[in-house]
Amino acid sequence: MANDIRHENHNSQAHQETTIPEHHHRAIIGFDKNGIPKVLVPADVHSHTHVDENGNVIEHTHEDSITADYMQAVAAYRKTFPSKQDVIDNTPDPAVKEMILRAEQLGINTVFDRFDAQQPQCSFGLSGSCCRICTMGPCRITPKSPRGVCGADVDLIVSRQLLRGAAAGAAQHGMHAREVILSLKWAAEGKLDVPIVGEYKIRTMAEAFGIKIKNRQLKNITIDLCDALLEDLSRTEPGEYKTITACAPPERQKVWKDMDILPISAYHEVFEAYHTSGCATGGDWKSIMKQFLRCGLAFTFSGVVGTSIATDSLLGVGDRTTAKTNVGALKEGYVNIAVHGHLPVLVKEIVKTGYSEKFQKMAKDAGAKGIQFYGICCSGLSAMYRYAGVIPLSNAVSAEMVIGTGALDLWVADVQEVYPSIMDVAKCFKTTVVTTHDSGRLPGAEHIGYDHNHTNISETHEIAEKIVTRAIESFQARRGIPVVIPPYEVEAEVGFSVEYVCKRFGSMKPLADALKEGKILGIVNMVGCNNPKVMYEKAICDVADVLLKNNVLILTNGCASFPLMKMGYCQTSELAYSRVGDNLKEFLGDDLPPVWHVGECIDNARSSGIFAGVAGAAGHKLYEMPYAFTSPEWSNEKGIDAALGFRLMGINSYHCVEAQIHASQNVMEFLKDSTKETLGSVMYVDVDPVALGEKMVEDIKAKRKALGWD
């Protein structure tokens, strides 16, 4: 801040010398009526000091619905959380309502019951002001005790926890990356008997990485590409992060280099995150937040981009197709198998095996009509894209309600977004749960999968056969289990990859032209998990309604895509088009849905690829374009990284759920606003999804104005 200023009192010479702190002349964060930290609050609405007529220095506050007390703000934020009854009354999917009520009748707890039981959630936890890193704690920061036992202040405590969340997210997507990259490499080496489908992707990416492709066998090119991706994942000696060099815009690479946030490797940055945030190591919150940004880059370029490259190379990109969705698509009388999680390679083999003539006959011999596959979360979306007949049912939060239909014979759980609560519901309906990965064990589940060292990777086909056989056995053992399937089923258009868009339009230029002309106001990537802190799935639909009405094209993937599929946003129908502004409707015609489904959660890479392609065709940099990223209901560690990935590209992120940062003015300002100067992007939170959508539209219009497109 600037120097102190002197207030003049004409009634007393002595009073003229009274010195008080200067009013704030920079953006300060306050709290709105719902307790959400807001940036760019004018200085004169904050507490500051004045000298009264008697020469006393007094504190003065202009209220304007802003409070400086973060505990009051947390209390206000808690009041916005919906109850289970609120969800029953307001969630948009009637199938969800029916299944919540059915679970209640059967005495089965759902995520909404457990969320109610946790209320009121801990104020210190919600604000991020509780530290339990070492055994001298836990320490809570209060006016009476402004530092922890070790001396850590609230900025350090909040930043440490934020960094550890980002590191966990980088580890989770990084594990996904390692599995798929190794699978691709092992397929090339012949250790894994799975065909390599995406030859075009391999050659294109190898060229981008500077790998020689001329006069070389595909398997050798593939191995070199995998080695480059694996090196970025696990490099210990500082060196070039090859995926960033190959895939990131040069302008961004310079920004990150100037900020000194280029990562060494994903493993290193996660390792260093836990090191520096440990007890008695890093004591500077600014340094902690720099490491936070490095984790975001590692997450983005190994966990997302690297995973996407390997997945599309091994399994193929998939093309546009029509998929049935929602629980009404469940079929009675079949051996019903759900695949749930994030690892697509074994899922591919399970689906292939189950749909084979041999196993279809086995199912019919056991009294079933056949075998049918369903998808939960991202394994389901990946399978839906690539194999006909895999029906996506739900995101992770409502998985237990899907089991509650009683229609599932086998639940195949691999890793991530597999809540332990599914086991309680599965027992009620005698649904067999099989885990396939050592990282994702569940108490009471059977394990049929890879061992910890993947020494049985060559037995992938045999593992798949065991799993499908177990499903047929479970079908026979479950005869007589009551089945209740809510009658809600819709069709959705999916498969909007970069490759499909180029095939459909010839290039990205038609999209760029539509943006310039205003037929498309802007493009938004809508993703994220779900969170009972906001109205389940309604927040996503409400944001989408505002965007579409204002002619914003939406790209979607991951768990957030399920309500958009289920509620008809991904259709070419009057239902979908009735939600769309006239300009966007003209662009879409009668062949394109207003929401383009691009895949599973790691397929943020497809959205960023479309963003980059359109920006290139328009002749502008990413951060200049009328783009936005939104995860209205985000809930887990990967969510903060996903938003950060777009923020690092200069694209704003928008959310209805707040991070646990209320207690630290400095961390709030860093996370939400000060990155505008360094990265060209901000983070915006509003618990009201309609207001959030309107803010996105306002900011997109400002981007257009800066480009001269209005």
Side-chain angles (χ1 to χ4, degrees):
M1 289 205 193
N3 295 329
D4 291 345
I5 62 172
R6 299 178 187 274
H7 281 230
E8 199 173 335
N9 187 315
H10 296 287
N11 296 324
S12 168
Q13 183 67 32
H15 292 160
Q16 293 178 17
E17 300 302 318
T18 303
T19 301
I20 65 172
E22 182 186 15
H23 294 190
H24 293 299
H25 291 295
R26 66 182 179 88
I28 301 295
I29 293 181
F31 301 100
D32 69 11
K33 64 181 180 180
N34 293 316
I36 298 299
K38 295 292 185 185
V39 295
L40 301 178
V41 177
D44 62 358
V45 300
H46 274 274
S47 296
H48 52 271
T49 52
H50 283 295
V51 180
D52 69 10
E53 64 272 16
N54 298 315
N56 299 313
V57 178
I58 60 172
E59 185 174 6
H60 180 62
T61 304
H62 299 279
E63 294 294 338
D64 288 359
S65 78
I66 301 297
T67 172
D69 185 340
Y70 74 83
M71 282 300 183
Q72 290 180 23
V74 167
Y77 181 40
R78 275 200 305 244
K79 291 177 183 177
T80 70
F81 299 168
S83 67
K84 172 184 170 181
Q85 189 58 52
D86 293 331
V87 175
I88 292 170
D89 293 340
N90 295 289
T91 194
D93 183 2
V96 170
K97 297 179 185 182
E98 287 195 20
M99 292 313 302
I100 294 174
L101 292 171
R102 173 162 166 75
E104 190 173 83
Q105 291 168 354
L106 296 172
I108 297 171
N109 275 349
T110 67
V111 63
F112 306 109
D113 295 296
R114 295 187 294 274
F115 186 69
D116 278 358
Q118 287 291 333
Q119 302 310 311
Q121 289 181 315
C122 172
S123 297
F124 294 100
L126 282 171
S127 68
S129 60
C130 175
C131 180
R132 53 178 300 277
I133 286 174
C134 78
T135 56
M136 293 188 292
C139 297
R140 300 182 303 177
I141 300 303
T142 66
K144 173 182 140 183
S145 178
R147 288 181 179 267
V149 173
C150 73
D153 63 12
V154 73
D155 294 329
L156 184 58
I157 288 171
V158 172
S159 62
R160 277 173 171 175
Q161 295 184 120
L162 198 61
L163 171 58
R164 287 187 167 214
Q172 289 159 8
H173 261 1
M175 175 271 174
H176 185 172
R178 182 192 67 210
E179 293 288 312
V180 183
I181 297 166
L182 284 174
S183 293
L184 175 61
K185 183 176 181 180
W186 289 336
E189 292 174 339
K191 296 178 184 177
L192 173 63
D193 187 17
V194 171
I196 295 174
V197 176
E199 179 175 351
Y200 168 79
K201 189 81 172 186
I202 292 168
R203 293 186 181 279
T204 300
M205 294 314 305
E207 188 172 9
F209 275 74
I211 295 168
K212 182 182 176 183
I213 59 175
K214 189 175 181 181
N215 300 324
R216 297 188 70 204
Q217 291 183 312
L218 179 65
K219 66 177 184 179
N220 294 327
I221 299 170
T222 303
I223 291 168
D224 286 351
L225 177 60
C226 290
D227 284 343
L229 295 171
L230 290 169
E231 186 183 358
D232 284 347
L233 197 64
S234 59
R235 181 182 299 105
T236 54
E237 186 175 353
E240 178 191 12
Y241 207 113
K242 296 176 182 176
T243 311
I244 290 178
T245 302
C247 301
E251 173 268 332
R252 285 287 106 178
Q253 294 185 48
K254 183 179 186 306
V255 168
W256 303 330
K257 183 177 180 181
D258 291 345
M259 291 178 68
D260 187 27
I261 60 171
L262 286 170
I264 292 172
S265 70
Y267 284 9
H268 175 88
E269 302 311 335
V270 170
F271 199 90
E272 175 58 19
Y274 280 92
H275 170 231
T276 192
S277 65
C279 177
T281 304
D284 179 3
W285 73 268
K286 292 179 182 177
S287 177
I288 296 288
M289 293 308 293
K290 180 180 277 191
Q291 186 60 29
F292 172 76
L293 297 179
R294 291 192 189 104
C295 279
L297 282 172
F299 171 94
T300 301
F301 285 95
S302 281
V304 176
V305 176
T307 310
S308 181
I309 291 169
T311 304
D312 288 349
S313 295
L314 181 60
L315 304 178
V317 175
D319 202 355
R320 180 177 170 183
T321 188
T322 302
K324 292 181 180 179
T325 188
N326 215 347
V327 292
L330 281 162
K331 299 178 181 179
E332 280 195 75
Y334 284 78
V335 175
N336 286 325
I337 303 173
V339 292
H340 181 186
H342 285 74
L343 299 178
V345 178
L346 183 55
V347 167
K348 167 191 168 66
E349 200 64 26
I350 293 168
V351 172
K352 176 184 170 184
T353 299
Y355 281 148
S356 69
E357 185 178 338
K358 172 185 173 182
F359 279 88
Q360 288 287 327
K361 182 178 184 302
M362 281 177 61
K364 291 173 182 176
D365 290 345
K369 297 176 183 177
I371 297 174
Q372 177 63 50
F373 284 94
Y374 307 90
I376 309 295
C377 199
C378 286
S379 286
L381 295 176
S382 176
M384 169 192 76
Y385 261 60
R386 296 176 172 95
Y387 322 117
V390 178
I391 298 169
L393 295 180
S394 84
N395 45 44
V397 164
S398 58
E400 57 199 353
M401 286 175 273
V402 174
I403 299 178
T405 62
L408 276 302
D409 298 298
L410 188 78
W411 194 275
V412 183
D414 48 59
V415 296
Q416 300 175 30
E417 274 76 79
V418 181
Y419 296 110
S421 59
I422 68 170
M423 295 306 301
D424 297 328
V425 189
K427 288 174 187 174
C428 293
F429 295 95
K430 296 185 178 179
T431 298
T432 301
V433 177
V434 167
T435 58
T436 63
H437 198 282
D438 203 40
S439 297
R441 299 275 188 157
L442 292 167
E446 301 175 20
H447 187 77
I448 309 174
Y450 300 126
D451 61 36
H452 185 71
N453 293 311
H454 283 39
T455 60
N456 57 343
I457 190 72
S458 62
E459 300 169 14
T460 296
H461 181 66
E462 290 78 6
I463 292 170
E465 287 194 336
K466 287 179 183 177
I467 289 171
V468 177
T469 300
R470 187 68 188 89
I472 296 170
E473 293 169 354
S474 182
F475 170 84
Q476 292 174 304
R478 294 181 66 256
R479 292 185 190 277
I481 293 292
V483 174
V484 174
I485 300 174
Y488 304 103
E489 172 189 342
V490 299
E491 289 188 342
E493 295 295 309
V494 300
F496 287 82
S497 61
V498 172
E499 288 81 0
Y500 171 77
V501 172
C502 288
K503 181 176 76 171
R504 171 67 173 74
F505 293 101
S507 70
M508 292 291 179
K509 187 175 183 302
L511 265 72
D513 291 343
L515 265 177
K516 289 179 182 178
E517 295 164 8
K519 291 180 181 177
I520 301 173
L521 185 77
I523 307 177
V524 170
N525 186 204
M526 183 178 289
V527 307
C529 317
N530 303 94
N531 196 319
K533 286 182 177 176
V534 292
M535 194 63 66
Y536 178 62
E537 296 189 330
K538 187 174 190 296
I540 290 165
C541 292
D542 285 352
V543 171
D545 284 340
V546 173
L547 296 176
L548 294 177
K549 180 179 68 176
N550 284 279
N551 302 299
V552 175
L553 179 67
I554 298 174
L555 313 177
T556 190
N557 53 286
C559 281
S561 71
F562 280 93
L564 298 174
M565 288 192 291
K566 293 188 296 180
M567 303 314 297
Y569 291 82
C570 298
Q571 294 179 343
T572 53
S573 67
E574 284 307 310
L575 172 64
Y577 295 139
S578 67
R579 298 167 165 137
V580 176
D582 290 340
N583 291 346
L584 181 58
K585 192 182 298 183
E586 180 185 347
F587 169 77
L588 297 171
D590 58 4
D591 179 51
L592 294 168
V595 175
W596 292 3
H597 197 294
V598 300
E600 57 180 311
C601 59
I602 56 101
D603 289 325
N604 281 347
R606 291 181 178 170
S607 295
S608 59
I610 292 171
F611 278 179
V614 174
H620 291 285
K621 297 180 174 64
L622 274 173
Y623 71 87
E624 298 173 322
M625 294 292 285
Y627 295 156
F629 170 93
T630 181
S631 51
E633 302 185 24
W634 74 279
S635 63
N636 63 30
E637 299 103 331
K638 293 181 293 185
I640 194 72
D641 284 301
L644 185 56
F646 281 80
R647 295 274 308 283
L648 285 157
M649 293 292 182
I651 297 170
N652 291 350
S653 72
Y654 300 82
H655 318 271
C656 292
V657 177
E658 184 57 274
Q660 292 158 350
I661 57 172
H662 279 77
S664 172
Q665 171 80 24
N666 281 321
V667 173
M668 284 190 290
E669 189 174 1
F670 180 95
L671 186 65
K672 293 195 164 191
D673 190 53
S674 65
T675 48
K676 183 166 186 151
E677 297 301 317
T678 52
L679 298 175
S681 62
V682 300
M683 176 183 179
Y684 188 86
V685 181
D686 198 314
V687 299
D688 179 351
V690 172
L692 188 78
E694 290 171 346
K695 175 61 175 171
M696 259 188 281
V697 170
E698 176 189 331
D699 291 349
I700 284 170
K701 287 180 177 178
K703 289 276 192 180
R704 294 184 61 86
K705 185 175 181 180
L707 288 167
W709 288 359
D710 285 339

